[in-house]
C-alpha cells in the first residue's frame, strides 16, 4: 500500500513539474538543433533496450515527445528524451516531437533528474551524479523558500534522505573509483568511506586496486 501510494505521488509530481497538458501539441524540432543536457548523468547506450526503442519508432513513430528548453545561443537543450533522440538519429529521422519549456537552470535540472531516476538498471554512478545535481538545484531554490531537504531530493524515486545522502557522497569519488563501484569491485558502503579521501589519496587507492585486483565490498 505504501509503495503503490508512493508511485502515484511520483507520477503526479512529474506531470506537475513538466506542465504537459494532454491536448497540447508538441513541436517537430530538427534533431541537429537538439543538444544534450549539460553534464547529463545518465548514459545513453546502444544496448538491447535502444534496439527496442528504435524498432518502436520505426513502427509507430515517437509516441512520447521529449521536453526541451531554448538555449541562449540557439537550438534546444534536452531535459527529457535523450534516449529517444538518439534512437531517432539511429533510425534516420531528421526531426523529433518536443514540448518546449522556458525553465530556469534549477527547474530544468530537477525535472531532468526526476524524469530519468525511475528508469530500470540505473548505475550507482548515474544515481550519485543525478542526486548531487538535484540536491544542488533544490538547495539553490531553498534560498527562495522552496526547501532543500534530502527527503525532497529522493521523493520522486521513493528513497529516504539517508539513501540520498549516501549517493551524494559517492558523487565525490573520482570517475575511476565510481566505475569500480558500477562494476561491483567497490561496495556502496566502501565507496562512501573512500569519498572522504582527497583526490591524491583516491588515486593511490585506484592504483592499488588495479594492481592487486582486490574487491572491497561486503
Amino acid at each position: 500500500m505504501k509503495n503503490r501510494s508512493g508511485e502515484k505521488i511520483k507520477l503526479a509530481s512529474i506531470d506537475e513539474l513538466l506542465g504537459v497538458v494532454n491536448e497540447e501539441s508538441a513541436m517537430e524540432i530538427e534533431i541537429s538543433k537538439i543538444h544534450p543536457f549539460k553534464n547529463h548523468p545518465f548514459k545513453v547506450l546502444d544496448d538491447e533496450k535502444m534496439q527496442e526503442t528504435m524498432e518502436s519508432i520505426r513502427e509507430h513513430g515517437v509516441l512520447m515527445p521529449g521536453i526541451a528548453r531554448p538555449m541562449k545561443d540557439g537550438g534546444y537543450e534536452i531535459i527529457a528524451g535523450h534516449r529517444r533522440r538518439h534512437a531517432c538519429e539511429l533510425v534516420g529521422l531528421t526531426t523529433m516531437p518536443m514540448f518546449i519549456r522556458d525553465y530556469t537552470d534549477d527547474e530544468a535540472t530537477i525535472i531532468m533528474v526526476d524524469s530519468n531516476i525511475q528508469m530500470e538498471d540505473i548505475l550507482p554512478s548515474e544515481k550519485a551524479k543525478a542526486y548531487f545535481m538535484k540536491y544542488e538545484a533544490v538547495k539553490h531554490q531553498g534560498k527562495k523558500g522552496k526547501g532543500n531537504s534530502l527527503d525532497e531530493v529522493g521523493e520522486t524515486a521513493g528513497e529516504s534522505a539517508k539513501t540520498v545522502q549516501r549517493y551524494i557522497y559517492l558523487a565525490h569519488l573520482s570517475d575511476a573509483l565510481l566505475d569500480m563501484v558500477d562494476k561491483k569491485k567497490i561496495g556502496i558502503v566502501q565507496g562512501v568511506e573512500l569519498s572522504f579521501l582527497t583526490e591524491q589519496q583516491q588515486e593511490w587507492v585506484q592504483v592499488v586496486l588495479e594492481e592487486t585486483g582486490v574487491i572491497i565490498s561486503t
Side-chain angles (χ1 to χ4, degrees), residues 87-218:
C88 286
E89 198 170 35
L90 293 176
V91 167
L93 298 182
T94 57
T95 65
M96 175 180 169
M98 306 289 292
F99 291 113
I100 306 302
R101 292 285 182 275
D102 192 18
Y103 290 124
T104 65
D105 291 345
D106 293 332
E107 290 170 339
T109 296
I110 291 170
I111 295 169
M112 180 275 294
V113 172
D114 285 351
S115 62
N116 284 280
I117 202 66
Q118 298 177 55
M119 294 189 303
E120 297 179 1
D121 305 323
I122 295 180
L123 295 170
S125 63
E126 295 174 305
K127 189 174 288 190
K129 293 175 181 179
Y131 277 155
F132 179 75
M133 289 177 70
K134 183 178 178 181
Y135 178 70
E136 290 297 308
V138 171
K139 185 171 63 174
H140 186 257
Q141 286 192 334
K143 297 176 182 178
K144 304 172 185 178
K146 295 184 180 179
N148 64 351
S149 71
L150 292 168
D151 286 310
E152 183 177 348
V153 174
E155 181 180 6
T156 302
E159 294 194 308
S160 67
K162 182 178 180 180
T163 298
V164 170
Q165 181 67 81
R166 187 176 297 161
Y167 279 106
I168 290 176
Y169 283 142
L170 285 182
H172 293 87
L173 284 176
S174 66
D175 287 340
L177 291 184
L178 260 181
D179 184 59
M180 291 184 182
V181 174
D182 286 343
K183 295 177 178 177
K184 302 186 185 304
K185 294 181 179 180
I186 297 176
I188 298 291
V189 174
Q190 290 72 28
V192 170
E193 294 173 351
L194 293 174
S195 71
F196 292 96
L197 299 178
T198 64
E199 291 184 11
Q200 181 64 65
Q201 291 171 329
Q202 288 189 32
E203 288 182 13
W204 294 338
V205 172
Q206 173 195 339
V207 171
V208 170
L209 294 180
E210 288 178 343
E211 290 182 348
T212 61
V214 171
I215 297 176
I216 52 173
S217 63
T218 54

Side-chain angles (χ1 to χ4, degrees), residues 22 30-31 53 56 61 64 123 181 184-185:
N22 290 335
E30 291 181 29
I31 290 178
T53 302
S56 174
M64 183 182 297
L123 295 170
V181 174
K184 302 186 185 304
K185 294 181 179 180

